[in-house]
Short mmCIF file of all heavy atoms in Angstrom, two decimals:
data_model
loop_
_atom_site.label_atom_id
_atom_site.label_comp_id
_atom_site.label_asym_id
_atom_site.label_seq_id
_atom_site.Cartn_x
_atom_site.Cartn_y
_atom_site.Cartn_z
N GLY B 243 38.13 52.58 -16.40
CA GLY B 243 37.36 53.56 -15.64
C GLY B 243 37.67 54.98 -16.06
O GLY B 243 38.82 55.32 -16.34
N TYR B 336 68.53 74.46 7.38
CA TYR B 336 67.20 73.93 7.68
C TYR B 336 66.60 73.30 6.45
O TYR B 336 66.81 73.78 5.34
CB TYR B 336 66.29 75.08 8.15
CG TYR B 336 64.85 74.98 7.67
CD1 TYR B 336 63.88 74.38 8.47
CD2 TYR B 336 64.47 75.47 6.42
CE1 TYR B 336 62.55 74.29 8.02
CE2 TYR B 336 63.15 75.37 5.98
CZ TYR B 336 62.20 74.78 6.78
OH TYR B 336 60.91 74.69 6.34
N ASP B 401 68.72 86.28 -21.08
CA ASP B 401 69.05 85.36 -22.17
C ASP B 401 67.95 84.32 -22.39
O ASP B 401 67.67 83.94 -23.53
CB ASP B 401 70.37 84.65 -21.87
CG ASP B 401 71.57 85.54 -22.23
OD1 ASP B 401 71.35 86.63 -22.79
OD2 ASP B 401 72.71 85.13 -21.92
N GLY B 430 58.30 97.36 -46.35
CA GLY B 430 56.99 97.60 -46.91
C GLY B 430 55.91 96.63 -46.49
O GLY B 430 54.75 96.76 -46.85
N ALA B 664 56.72 63.82 -10.34
CA ALA B 664 56.09 63.57 -11.63
C ALA B 664 57.14 63.54 -12.75
O ALA B 664 57.13 62.68 -13.62
CB ALA B 664 55.03 64.63 -11.93
N SER B 669 56.00 61.83 -16.06
CA SER B 669 54.62 62.27 -16.28
C SER B 669 54.51 63.79 -16.26
O SER B 669 55.29 64.48 -15.60
CB SER B 669 53.73 61.68 -15.17
OG SER B 669 52.47 62.29 -15.18
N ASP B 708 27.12 83.41 5.17
CA ASP B 708 26.70 84.66 4.54
C ASP B 708 26.60 84.37 3.04
O ASP B 708 27.39 84.87 2.24
CB ASP B 708 27.77 85.72 4.85
CG ASP B 708 27.41 87.08 4.27
OD1 ASP B 708 26.22 87.34 4.08
OD2 ASP B 708 28.36 87.86 4.01
#
Side-chain angles (χ1 to χ4, degrees):
Chain B
Y336 143 94
D401 279 355
S669 168
D708 181 26

